[in-house]
């Protein structure tokens, strides 16, 4: 919000310098982002009156002007501005004047001497307008410094307000803050009721009081809408960021900026019957002042007359009833709209307005009539006219519930023992009515303070007026106990580092996802829906991390990245699920932590030492095994909605399912426009954090014996079942059994396959003999024959 310092000081003069005032406002919660002068520094520029204008004898586009610039004789100035004319007053840069980037010297222009330069607004650095000379007020005395004439030593504060400080969306609101902070006298604008000169009235009613609680209006007849806006009003509007439109519109904008009271002016002759404030109806449309045509429905508050909708309540008026330069009779509207009835409606139509910005945060519901009276006075002074009586209809106003502040609690939260007497003084300075007994205060928020609802709000008021700078910085003191890390658990950070070390890039995706992802990747037709999604494609809570990783791959491949390896550690959201220790759950929803990774493209970066090949199931299987080590993961073939039916597996640790591994289903590869197959895995991060405590074993000083064993088994038998049997029934001297070959071919009997195992045997006490080794191998062959009908491959 832009606040001209001169306008602010007309309400309260704190006596502080500009920088000190800006710092004080910032430290009290009204952050001043910048203090900008309204014009850059320049000297030697005075107001001048143009006495005569003649054509330059040697140039068609130049004029020779006789200019009065003070007590001395008139000066001859050569000027090329198209709007120069006798009798106007304009800035004159005298010889020796210094402008931004320019110093004025006497010069000849096409043979005639020019004793200075008449200036446009751009040459003074005030704006980019250089269409002609900057015209000064008729009251400007020739020879007076232009900085004084135009009050160019003014400064504009750019204040960044938080959403709760709606009471400061006006010069008066900021002035109230300055008065409270500096204990200076506040001089608000004097508002005297304007007596009615006729009985002109416009009937109006409020049909839906839950949207509009108060509506005031006044008819003013026979106004001169073509009257020019006074220079002082134009100046204040422009410095506050509003362009001048017309006298009637400028008055309403001025009152809004001054008092925080949005108003609207109608051309009464364009209205059909009376006004009704109600919710919209499906099928109704309106063309707004910004020339945008919108549809309304039952959730949009509308201003209507006999012709239909003529405005969006608290947002913007309609084009059909606007006041223009031909308007003779006007109706001034001043209403109070409840914030809940306005919030979000303007954004729905992809625009914002000054009125909606204020109403959705809360506007003073007791300054409707003062706003009407202030605007009426200004309209009469500028445009003339005959006002009718002010009609004020009150249906429903917000209830101002008292808020209790406990002195001891305030002192505890602030961290400083602010005396109760000082708290009472702060409430008085802020204009907050209260009662108190020294131990507690009960404050009734005024009509313009919608942000005071709970005890913490009052504590904030005390703290910021007392002064955040007065609160000492004390580091928290607490007994610190060094706790040993558990050897049986590792941190998520350690897992994250391990995955990154395997050539994956970490990503952080939204937990809000497209419902289609849930249906595609987990077969979840009823995901957890958001009540107020930020976008339709982010309206569900994810129950899997796979969708986000697929989108990461698609995004990168669309930008010519041929090799993508990404992972994410984050929460999934399950309905009525069970959670493990360390996970967070509320109200029947589980939020387990998951680790998911995806790879697509070449398995290795391009190099001369390895042939190029695409990443496959077994590459990521190796990554999963590395992550679960020193525990051994098992993989069971099983279908999954997101994965290829023949290339997917359930991951098990200690007999419990902890995740999935597989290649993305070709259907989803095509749908999500992936140029190559992607392989993904998703694991329960809680299970990965558990690691067994290392246990020492006696190393053997004797050499190992290695034997290879090839057996024929049924083609449908899983190799893991054979490995499990060997592990279970292995002799004591067998240290490890590993499958290293699988063979299927015509040389084997029908429906049989060959499995080759490498068996490592070793004793810690002696060197093994051939007899001991042969006996151990024979026992293992016998075990496989008895359990699976296996025979030695010849």
């Amino acid at each position: 919000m832009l606040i001209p310092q001169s306008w602010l000081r007309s309400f309260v003069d704190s006596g502080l310098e500009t920088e000190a005032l800006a710092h004080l406002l910032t430290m009290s919660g009204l952050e001043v982002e910048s203090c900008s002068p309204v014009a850059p520094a320049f000297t030697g520029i005075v107001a001048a009156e143009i006495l005569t204008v003649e054509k330059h004898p040697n140039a068609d586009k130049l004029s020779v002007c006789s200019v009065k610039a003070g007590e001395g004789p008139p000066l001859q100035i050569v000027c090329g501005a198209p709007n120069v004319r006798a009798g106007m007053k304009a800035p004159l840069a005298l010889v020796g004047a210094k402008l931004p980037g320019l110093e004025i010297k006497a010069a000849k222009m096409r043979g005639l001497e020019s004793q200075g330069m008449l200036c446009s607004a751009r040459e003074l650095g005030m704006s980019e307008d250089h269409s002609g000379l900057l015209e000064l007020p008729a009251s400007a005395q020739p020879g007076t410094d232009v900085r004084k004439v135009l009050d160019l030593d003014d400064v504009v504060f750019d204040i960044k307000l938080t959403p709760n400080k709606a009471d400061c969306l006006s010069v008066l609101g900021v002035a109230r803050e300055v008065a409270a902070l500096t204990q200076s006298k506040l001089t608000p604008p004097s508002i005297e009721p304007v007596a009615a000169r006729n009985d002109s009235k416009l009937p109006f009613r409020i049909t839906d009081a839950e949207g509009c609680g108060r509506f005031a209006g006044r008819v003013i007849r026979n106004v001169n809408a073509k009257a020019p806006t006074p220079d002082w009003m134009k100046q204040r509007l422009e410095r506050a960021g509003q362009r001048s439109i017309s006298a009637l519109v400028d008055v309403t904008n001025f009152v809004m900026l001054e008092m925080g009271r949005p108003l609207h002016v109608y051309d009464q002759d364009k209205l059909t019957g009376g006004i009704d404030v109600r919710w919209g109806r499906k099928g109704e449309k309106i063309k707004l002042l910004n020339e945008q045509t919108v549809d309304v429905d039952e959730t949009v508050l509308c201003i209507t007359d006999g012709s239909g909708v003529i405005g969006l309540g608290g947002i913007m008026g309609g084009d059909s009833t606007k006041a223009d330069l031909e308007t003779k009779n006007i109706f001034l509207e001043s209403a109070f709209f409840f914030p809940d009835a306005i919030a979000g409606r303007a954004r729905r139509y992809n625009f914002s307005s000054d009125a909606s910005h204020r109403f959705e945060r809360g506007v003073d519901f007791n300054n409707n009539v003062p706003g009407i009276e202030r605007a009426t006075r200004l309209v009469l002074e500028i445009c003339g006219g005959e006002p009718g009586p002010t009609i004020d209809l009150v249906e429903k106003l917000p209830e101002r519930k008292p808020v209790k502040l406990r002195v001891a609690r305030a002192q505890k939260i602030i961290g400083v023992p602010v005396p109760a007497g000082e708290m009472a003084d702060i409430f008085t300075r802020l204009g907050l009515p209260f009662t108190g007994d020294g131990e507690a205060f009960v404050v009734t928020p005024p009509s313009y303070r919608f942000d005071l609802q709970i005890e913490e709000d009052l504590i904030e008021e005390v703290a910021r007026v007392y002064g955040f700078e007065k609160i000492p910085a004390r580091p928290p003191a607490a007994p610190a106990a060094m706790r040993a890390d558990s050897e049986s658990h590792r941190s998520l950070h350690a897992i994250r580092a391990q995955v990154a070390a395997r050539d994956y890039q970490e990503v952080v995706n939204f937990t809000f996802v497209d419902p289609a992802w849930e249906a595609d990747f987990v077969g979840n037709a009823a995901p957890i829906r958001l009540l107020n999604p930020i976008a339709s494609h982010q309206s569900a809570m994810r129950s899997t991390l796979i969708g986000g990783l697929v989108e990461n791959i698609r995004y990168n491949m669309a930008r010519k990245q041929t090799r993508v390896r990404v992972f994410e550690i984050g929460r999934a959201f399950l309905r009525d699920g069970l959670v493990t220790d360390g996970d967070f759950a509320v109200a029947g929803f589980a939020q387990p932590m998951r680790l998911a990774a995806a790879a697509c493209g070449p398995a290795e970066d391009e190099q001369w030492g390895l042939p190029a090949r695409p990443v496959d199931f077994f590459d990521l299987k190796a990554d999963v095994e590395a992550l679960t080590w020193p525990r051994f993961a098992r993989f069971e073939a099983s279908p999954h909605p997101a994965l290829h039916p023949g290339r997917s597996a359930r991951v098990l640790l200690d007999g419990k399912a902890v995740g999935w591994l597989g290649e993305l289903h070709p259907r989803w590869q095509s749908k999500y426009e992936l140029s190559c197959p992607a392989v993904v895995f998703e694991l329960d991060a809680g299970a990965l954090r558990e690691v067994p405590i290392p246990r020492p074993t006696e190393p053997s000083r004797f050499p190992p014996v290695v034997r290879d064993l090839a057996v024929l088994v049924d083609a449908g038998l899983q190799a893991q079942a054979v490995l499990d049997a060997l592990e279970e029934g292995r002799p004591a001297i067998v240290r490890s059994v590993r499958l290293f070959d699988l063979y299927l071919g015509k040389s084997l009997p029908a429906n049989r396959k060959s499995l080759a195992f490498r068996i490592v045997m070793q004793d810690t006490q002696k060197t093994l003999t051939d007899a001991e080794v042969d006996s151990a191998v024979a026992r293992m062959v016998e075990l496989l024959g008895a359990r699976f009908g296996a025979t030695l491959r010849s």
Side-chain angles (χ1 to χ4, degrees):
M1 170 129 185
L2 301 179
I3 302 290
Q5 182 177 221
S6 59
W7 198 352
L8 178 63
R9 289 187 184 275
S10 69
F11 289 170
V12 55
D13 189 0
S14 63
L16 297 176
E17 296 293 332
T18 300
E19 293 76 10
L21 179 58
H23 178 74
L24 179 64
L25 287 172
T26 299
M27 294 308 298
S28 67
L30 278 64
E31 181 183 356
V32 179
E33 292 191 305
S34 65
C35 302
S36 306
V38 296
F42 56 75
T43 59
I45 302 177
V46 299
E49 181 179 1
I50 302 173
L51 302 177
T52 62
V53 178
E54 298 178 357
K55 285 291 184 182
H56 194 294
N58 302 321
D60 294 336
K61 294 185 178 181
L62 296 179
S63 301
V64 180
C65 307
S66 176
V67 176
K68 181 180 180 182
E71 298 299 329
L75 303 176
Q76 178 175 285
I77 306 295
V78 178
C79 177
N83 66 332
V84 64
R85 68 182 188 278
M88 79 177 294
K89 293 181 179 179
L92 172 64
L94 301 171
V95 173
K98 293 182 179 180
L99 283 78
L102 178 66
E103 183 174 351
I104 303 300
K105 298 179 181 179
K108 284 190 176 183
M109 301 181 67
R110 293 294 183 95
L112 293 182
E113 183 179 10
S114 181
Q115 297 173 303
M117 180 180 72
L118 292 169
C119 302
S120 67
R122 187 169 75 169
E123 287 157 343
L124 297 181
M126 296 172 58
S127 73
E128 291 301 313
D129 183 13
H130 64 289
S131 59
L133 299 180
L134 174 64
E135 188 161 358
L136 299 178
S139 59
Q141 293 296 318
T144 306
D145 192 325
V146 163
R147 301 194 73 88
K148 182 177 180 181
V149 173
L150 298 179
D151 191 20
L152 298 183
D153 292 321
D154 195 6
V155 172
V156 176
F157 295 128
D158 186 357
I159 301 179
K160 182 180 180 181
L161 294 173
T162 51
N164 64 311
K165 291 301 291 178
D167 60 300
C168 292
L169 284 169
S170 65
V171 179
L172 178 59
V174 177
R176 278 194 297 253
E177 289 291 307
V178 174
L181 295 170
T182 63
Q183 304 187 55
S184 302
K185 181 181 179 181
L186 177 66
T187 308
S190 177
I191 301 176
E192 297 292 335
V194 178
R197 299 182 191 171
N198 57 54
D199 295 328
S200 298
K201 299 178 184 178
L202 180 73
F204 52 79
R205 66 179 181 181
I206 301 173
T207 298
D208 293 305
E210 67 273 17
C212 176
R214 186 173 191 172
F215 195 97
R218 183 176 217 166
V219 173
I220 305 178
R221 304 186 63 81
N222 299 320
V223 299
N224 177 18
K226 297 180 181 179
T229 302
D231 292 330
W232 64 268
M233 183 178 288
K234 279 185 180 180
Q235 182 187 87
R236 287 188 168 178
L237 289 173
E238 290 170 358
R239 293 180 183 179
Q242 292 278 353
R243 65 183 180 90
S244 176
I245 299 174
S246 68
L248 293 174
V249 176
D250 289 350
V251 165
T252 60
N253 286 337
F254 182 85
V255 174
M256 177 187 69
L257 293 172
E258 182 182 63
M259 302 174 57
R261 162 48 52 190
L263 302 172
H264 187 65
V265 58
Y266 298 88
D267 186 328
Q268 186 192 12
D269 297 327
K270 296 178 182 178
L271 295 171
T272 304
I275 286 178
D276 184 14
V277 186
R278 59 170 173 79
W279 296 111
R281 298 164 185 162
K282 283 191 175 180
E284 291 182 320
K285 296 184 178 181
I286 177 177
K287 182 180 180 182
L288 300 171
L289 291 174
N290 62 1
E291 299 185 350
Q292 179 180 347
T293 300
V294 300
D295 297 317
V296 301
D297 57 27
E298 295 85 351
T299 64
V300 179
L301 196 63
C302 297
I303 311 298
T304 66
D305 68 357
S307 65
V309 180
I310 59 172
L312 300 182
I315 299 176
M316 186 175 289
D319 183 74
S320 62
T321 57
K322 68 179 180 181
D324 53 32
L325 297 181
E326 304 302 323
T327 296
K328 294 296 182 184
N329 305 308
I330 65 171
F331 175 72
L332 275 176
E333 169 212 304
S334 176
F336 169 73
F337 302 103
F338 285 92
D340 289 344
I342 307 301
R345 272 62 168 188
R347 289 190 297 276
R348 181 190 305 179
Y349 298 121
N350 297 318
F351 72 88
S352 181
S353 67
D354 290 317
S356 67
H357 184 76
R358 287 163 171 79
F359 278 117
E360 65 187 7
R361 287 161 172 78
V363 170
D364 186 356
F365 52 82
N366 277 341
N367 72 351
N368 294 64
V369 174
I372 288 277
E373 298 294 346
R374 177 65 167 154
T376 300
R377 179 74 63 185
L378 293 171
V379 169
L380 297 183
E381 291 176 356
I382 299 170
C383 304
E386 301 168 359
T390 297
I391 308 299
D392 183 22
L393 176 61
V394 179
E395 289 287 347
K396 179 182 179 181
L397 295 179
E399 181 183 358
R400 313 311 280 167
K401 295 182 179 179
V403 182
K404 183 178 180 180
L405 170 70
R406 291 165 291 174
V407 173
R409 176 166 172 77
Q411 293 172 340
K412 179 179 179 181
I413 291 180
I414 297 172
V416 175
V418 181
E422 188 161 353
M423 292 185 187
D425 180 59
I426 288 172
F427 292 146
T428 301
R429 287 153 57 186
L430 287 171
L432 305 179
F434 69 91
T435 58
D437 57 6
E439 295 184 358
F441 294 96
V442 177
V443 177
T444 302
S447 58
Y448 53 84
R449 294 299 299 268
F450 284 76
D451 58 320
L452 303 180
Q453 299 180 1
I454 59 176
E455 185 177 28
E456 284 71 17
D457 295 330
L458 295 178
I459 294 174
E460 179 187 1
E461 294 298 295
V462 171
R464 67 186 190 85
V465 177
Y466 174 77
F468 292 124
E469 292 175 307
K470 296 181 182 178
I471 301 176
R474 296 194 184 114
M482 298 297 292
R483 296 183 179 180
D485 291 336
S486 172
E487 287 188 83
S488 62
H489 286 80
R490 57 180 171 174
S491 68
L492 288 176
H493 182 72
I495 298 174
R496 184 178 287 111
Q498 188 176 0
V499 182
R502 299 192 68 82
D503 203 18
Y504 289 89
Q505 299 286 331
E506 186 177 12
V507 296
V508 179
N509 292 313
F510 277 112
T511 55
F512 308 149
V513 299
D514 192 329
W517 292 4
E518 288 292 296
D520 292 347
F521 299 126
V522 285
N524 185 5
I528 300 172
R529 295 274 185 171
L530 298 175
L531 295 178
N532 186 25
I534 59 177
S536 60
H537 64 278
Q538 292 180 323
S539 58
M541 300 297 292
R542 67 184 181 187
S543 61
T544 177
L545 278 59
I546 294 176
L549 298 182
V550 171
E551 173 61 20
N552 297 143
I553 293 176
R554 186 205 64 77
Y555 181 89
N556 281 275
M557 287 199 158
R559 286 152 181 81
K560 308 302 181 183
Q561 299 297 314
T562 58
R563 183 173 185 267
V564 183
R565 296 170 66 87
V566 291
F567 81 96
E568 180 178 12
I569 295 179
R571 293 195 181 277
F573 300 85
L574 310 176
R575 194 187 302 275
D576 297 327
L578 298 176
V579 294
T580 58
D581 291 341
D583 287 324
F584 179 74
V586 291
F589 295 96
Q591 304 178 43
M593 191 69 74
R594 298 275 180 83
L595 162 65
C600 193
E604 302 287 345
D605 279 327
E606 186 175 2
Q607 56 169 298
W608 65 85
L610 291 173
R613 68 173 181 84
V615 68
D616 59 22
F617 176 94
F618 297 100
D619 291 314
L620 269 72
K621 179 175 179 286
D623 292 334
V624 172
E625 290 174 332
L627 290 171
T628 58
W629 189 88
R631 292 189 294 169
F632 294 97
R634 294 187 58 179
F635 303 88
E636 291 183 351
S638 183
H640 186 278
L643 304 178
H644 192 296
R647 301 171 188 171
S648 66
R650 180 184 283 110
V651 183
L652 296 96
L653 276 177
D654 303 329
K656 294 176 56 178
V658 297
W660 291 89
L661 164 68
E663 184 179 303
L664 194 67
H665 198 292
R667 182 190 304 130
W668 311 138
Q669 178 185 334
S670 174
K671 177 178 178 179
Y672 293 98
E673 302 176 345
L674 304 186
S675 58
C676 60
V679 187
V680 301
F681 69 78
E682 184 172 23
L683 305 173
D684 178 13
L688 292 179
R689 296 182 64 181
E690 298 176 9
V691 291
I693 297 176
R695 298 186 181 277
T697 58
E698 180 184 0
S700 176
R701 297 182 291 109
F702 301 96
V705 178
V706 179
R707 292 286 178 90
D708 290 341
L709 175 65
V711 294
L712 296 177
V713 296
D714 291 340
L717 180 64
Q718 292 186 356
Q720 186 65 52
V722 180
L723 280 169
D724 290 344
L726 290 174
E727 187 68 26
E728 179 183 346
R730 65 178 181 168
I733 63 174
V734 176
R735 290 289 175 261
S736 67
V737 180
R738 180 172 64 85
L739 176 69
F740 71 88
D741 184 56
L742 165 67
Y743 176 72
L744 292 167
K746 296 180 179 179
S747 62
L748 300 180
N751 298 322
R752 302 286 276 181
K753 65 182 177 182
S754 171
L755 298 177
F757 299 92
R758 180 150 292 166
I759 304 171
V760 179
M761 292 167 281
Q762 192 177 32
D763 197 299
T764 60
Q765 303 298 323
K766 64 179 180 177
T767 300
L768 296 176
T769 65
D770 288 343
E772 290 173 321
V773 170
D774 292 340
S775 174
V777 173
R779 288 171 58 188
M780 297 178 75
V781 172
E782 183 181 354
L783 172 67
L784 295 181
R787 185 169 298 186
F788 304 112
T791 59
L792 282 174
R793 179 182 173 189
S794 57

